[in-house]
Amino acid sequence: MSDPDDAPAPPEDPTERDPTALARASAPAPTDPSDPDPDPDATDPAPAGLPHGWVRVGERRWWSTWVGATTAFAFFAAIQAVQFVFRIAEISFRWDLALLVAVGVTVGIFALITVIRNARAPQPWIDLDSGQLRAGTRRPVPLARVDRAVLTTAPVGNGGRVLVLRLTAKEARVDFILRDRKDATLDPTSTAVLAEALRRTSVAMPTSIHDPTGRFARYNFPGHVDRDDAVALVEHPPAAGDPLPAAW
């Protein structure tokens, strides 16, 4: 007879579990020192219903500033200037030549002003997926770094006004036309994208050493608005005569 101590060990019960396995599985994976730190400016992607990727906020056509009475006035002024030059130079006045010169002068002036305007305030774009905004082809800026919002106004026409919301960060400045000279506002998509972008910024009213609580910031920093007021301005741009959430 064989010795029972020499018998092979019974196979392990497949239902048995290592008591330390669950603890090992739930423990966090070790951190690789070479892994990059998480990006503090990273944000969630665009919410459902909003477009992905870079979105142009507002459609700013190059000719939108020059339609209507502005062009007519500029052309009339150019005609008068050409006629004055002809008289000073003692050149016989010719309507065909005067019209040609006036058209050239008018186009040149408009082109120069358009280039300057686009250089100073280029078309704004927003990407909610990456949480960035940019002006024209300039370097994008994370939304979290935008910390100031300033509302500027300009009277136009018979009691109308232009509303411009300027967002600033340390490295950039971007202007958004909320209500233009023809009283038109942003389209629904631009409005929703800009409002969502503002909610992801760090916009706040500035403070001073003489007013650390910001109680009088509205008067110490004219035109500035906080984030909630900025979102409200985008979603419901005040019409001419409506009160504004800023003082001047």
Side-chain angles (χ1 to χ4, degrees), residues 33-111:
S34 62
D35 290 343
D37 294 333
D39 184 2
D41 297 324
T43 59
D44 296 331
L50 292 180
H52 297 273
W54 286 106
V55 178
R56 179 175 56 187
V57 179
E59 190 173 359
R60 187 184 303 169
R61 297 182 176 90
W62 68 268
W63 47 263
S64 59
T65 307
W66 311 120
V67 297
T70 302
T71 303
F73 176 79
F75 183 74
F76 178 75
I79 285 286
Q80 297 298 317
V82 171
Q83 185 177 4
F84 177 76
V85 171
F86 277 24
R87 185 179 303 171
I88 294 298
E90 297 182 350
I91 302 174
S92 58
F93 184 78
R94 291 175 48 190
W95 276 106
D96 56 347
L97 182 59
L99 290 174
L100 182 61
V101 175
V103 169
V105 171
T106 304
V107 171
I109 292 175
F110 285 178

Side-chain angles (χ1 to χ4, degrees), residues 128-145:
L128 293 177
D129 292 324
S130 62
Q132 295 179 311
L133 67 82
R134 63 180 171 88
T137 57
R138 296 175 184 174
R139 183 177 181 181
V141 177
L143 292 171
R145 297 183 187 176

Side-chain angles (χ1 to χ4, degrees), residues 38-231:
D39 184 2
D41 297 324
T43 59
D44 296 331
L50 292 180
H52 297 273
W54 286 106
V55 178
R56 179 175 56 187
V57 179
E59 190 173 359
R60 187 184 303 169
R61 297 182 176 90
W62 68 268
W63 47 263
S64 59
T65 307
W66 311 120
V67 297
T70 302
T71 303
F73 176 79
F75 183 74
F76 178 75
I79 285 286
Q80 297 298 317
V82 171
Q83 185 177 4
F84 177 76
V85 171
F86 277 24
R87 185 179 303 171
I88 294 298
E90 297 182 350
I91 302 174
S92 58
F93 184 78
R94 291 175 48 190
W95 276 106
D96 56 347
L97 182 59
L99 290 174
L100 182 61
V101 175
V103 169
V105 171
T106 304
V107 171
I109 292 175
F110 285 178
L112 178 61
I113 294 178
T114 301
V115 170
I116 295 175
R117 182 201 66 181
N118 292 343
R120 290 179 57 86
Q123 175 74 54
W125 297 74
I126 292 177
D127 184 355
L128 293 177
D129 292 324
S130 62
Q132 295 179 311
L133 67 82
R134 63 180 171 88
T137 57
R138 296 175 184 174
R139 183 177 181 181
V141 177
L143 292 171
R145 297 183 187 176
V146 177
D147 56 2
R148 293 289 184 270
V150 181
L151 178 66
T152 62
T153 66
V156 294
N158 297 324
R161 66 184 176 191
V162 174
L163 294 180
V164 178
L165 183 65
R166 175 173 297 168
L167 302 183
T168 61
K170 183 178 180 180
E171 57 273 77
R173 182 191 74 183
V174 184
D175 291 341
F176 298 89
I177 302 176
L178 304 184
R179 190 178 290 275
D180 64 15
R181 59 186 303 167
K182 295 186 177 299
D183 208 36
T185 58
L186 294 174
D187 60 273
T189 299
S190 296
T191 298
V193 170
L194 180 53
E196 175 63 25
L198 279 168
R199 295 186 181 97
R200 303 185 183 188
T201 65
S202 303
V203 168
M205 289 292 291
T207 59
S208 66
I209 57 175
H210 303 292
D211 182 29
T213 62
R215 180 180 179 183
F216 302 102
R218 185 170 182 265
Y219 304 99
N220 293 332
F221 300 94
H224 284 74
V225 294
D226 60 19
R227 182 167 54 189
D228 292 339
D229 284 338
V231 173

